Amino acid sequence: MPPALSGYAFASAPLDRADALRDDAQALARLWPDAQLLVLDAEGMALADRNGQRPGFTGRDVGASALANALLLGVRDGQAWFSVEADAVQVSAPQRVDLRQAAATWHENESAAFAHARAMQHWRTRTQHCGRCGGRVAFRRAGYVASCSQCGTEHYPRVDPAVIVAVTDGQRLLLGRQASWPEGRYSVIAGFVEPGESLEQTVVREVHEETQVRVRSCRYLGGQPWPFPGALMLGFEAEAEPDTPKVDGELEDARWFTVDEIAAARSPQREHGGLRLSPSISIARALIEHWYQRMTA
């Protein structure tokens, strides 16, 4: 069955994660010379060519010694993909691009690999010491396990699940905005899952906490890795009471929008100063588009 949502970044045609290779040093060494590399700097930016594209560095370009600290991203068509830290290899490039730029301009498979690499880089740079005893950790299994050299505790990559919800009262779509966003930007409601909470419970709680709107029912539609720095956005649509939105906390404003208002915001001729929707790379925009298409079908 095809997914209900599509068109957003980081969720298409992923690499084969090749878990079995992570403990096979000989196989990794054989794959390394021809492996494709993503080279990330300390800020999570990727080295790029003059056109802003991935330069096509291989393991042969950086030498065999770089494999020891490389992260295996996966395999496609028999070719391995790794990410490496820019300060650990002797290569250069004229540009550095961030993940949002890559999502808009790189091939979708390459930007998905970049998202994977950036999320892992964030976890690894913040997992230098054991949370149990404070000892130094060493990474093994091609970068996926941080093992404490003192007490032996193993630490694994962290993913933070969050729900993101297109809430409708049957005729209108509920959108909110944060004060830090660009003028006119509104988006669907989102929030992190708390311990001991189901996804459906999170939908009900987050929508009510942020807007005082009461959700009656919800349905999962699709997910998007969102490594800013390490979230997994779980997209829902929800039916709700036509309550008047009230904000007191994270959101600056929340309101119901009609189909005509969403249509105007989608138009290339949108007037300056009007409603601005979420970027096209995001599952937030896919949820808005999904609601709009259903309402205008």
Side-chain angles (χ1 to χ4, degrees), residues 261-271 275 277 285 289 292:
E261 288 174 310
I262 299 299
R266 295 175 71 250
S267 171
Q269 288 76 42
R270 178 183 63 84
E271 293 183 8
L275 171 64
L277 300 177
R285 181 60 176 269
E289 293 292 333
Y292 178 80

Side-chain angles (χ1 to χ4, degrees), residues 6-253:
S6 61
Y8 49 92
F10 315 138
S12 63
L15 295 165
D16 175 356
R17 295 293 179 103
D19 179 80
L21 287 177
R22 294 175 186 173
D23 286 319
D24 193 336
Q26 291 183 345
L28 294 178
R30 289 195 300 271
L31 291 167
W32 179 253
D34 296 316
Q36 292 293 311
L37 303 185
L38 283 168
V39 184
L40 273 57
D41 68 13
E43 303 301 320
M45 305 274 282
L47 271 61
D49 63 21
R50 289 182 176 83
N51 297 316
Q53 298 299 303
R54 188 179 64 84
F57 295 128
T58 67
R60 190 173 286 107
D61 294 321
V62 300
S65 62
L67 175 58
N69 293 311
L71 172 76
L72 175 66
L73 298 173
V75 176
R76 177 179 289 115
D77 299 328
Q79 186 175 44
W81 286 64
F82 291 83
S83 68
V84 295
E85 300 290 334
D87 60 5
V89 294
Q90 298 299 314
V91 293
S92 61
Q95 291 195 56
R96 301 190 180 200
V97 301
D98 65 19
L99 183 54
R100 286 182 172 86
Q101 181 181 349
T105 60
W106 287 16
H107 188 281
E108 58 186 0
N109 295 341
E110 293 187 343
S111 64
F114 186 178
H116 178 187
R118 190 182 189 280
M120 289 295 294
Q121 179 195 48
H122 182 266
W123 170 71
R124 283 164 41 123
T125 56
R126 285 155 180 77
T127 312
Q128 298 296 307
H129 294 86
C130 176
R132 180 180 180 185
C133 74
R136 291 284 298 182
V137 302
F139 292 97
R140 59 182 189 82
R141 295 208 78 233
Y144 285 83
V145 176
S147 181
C148 178
S149 59
Q150 188 164 292
C151 71
T153 298
E154 293 184 339
H155 304 272
Y156 298 89
R158 172 176 170 171
V159 176
D160 298 319
V163 299
I164 184 164
V165 194
V167 181
T168 181
D169 65 356
Q171 297 296 322
R172 301 172 298 175
L173 181 66
L174 180 65
L175 300 179
R177 66 167 276 107
Q178 296 182 17
S180 61
W181 289 355
E183 182 180 356
R185 170 71 54 78
Y186 279 76
S187 188
V188 290
I189 308 303
F192 287 102
V193 181
E194 294 187 349
E197 189 173 53
S198 72
L199 299 180
E200 294 81 3
Q201 289 170 339
T202 306
V203 168
V204 173
R205 175 183 58 78
E206 281 289 342
V207 173
H208 192 263
E209 283 181 357
E210 295 189 9
T211 69
Q212 297 300 298
V213 171
R214 296 166 294 167
V215 167
R216 295 196 302 265
S217 64
C218 63
R219 182 171 75 97
Y220 176 74
L221 296 179
Q224 180 185 35
W226 193 247
F228 302 103
L232 174 63
M233 307 304 295
L234 303 164
F236 284 79
E237 61 179 359
E239 298 286 337
E241 302 293 342
D243 300 324
T244 300
K246 300 176 183 177
V247 297
D248 182 21
E250 180 179 341
L251 295 181
E252 177 186 63
D253 186 34

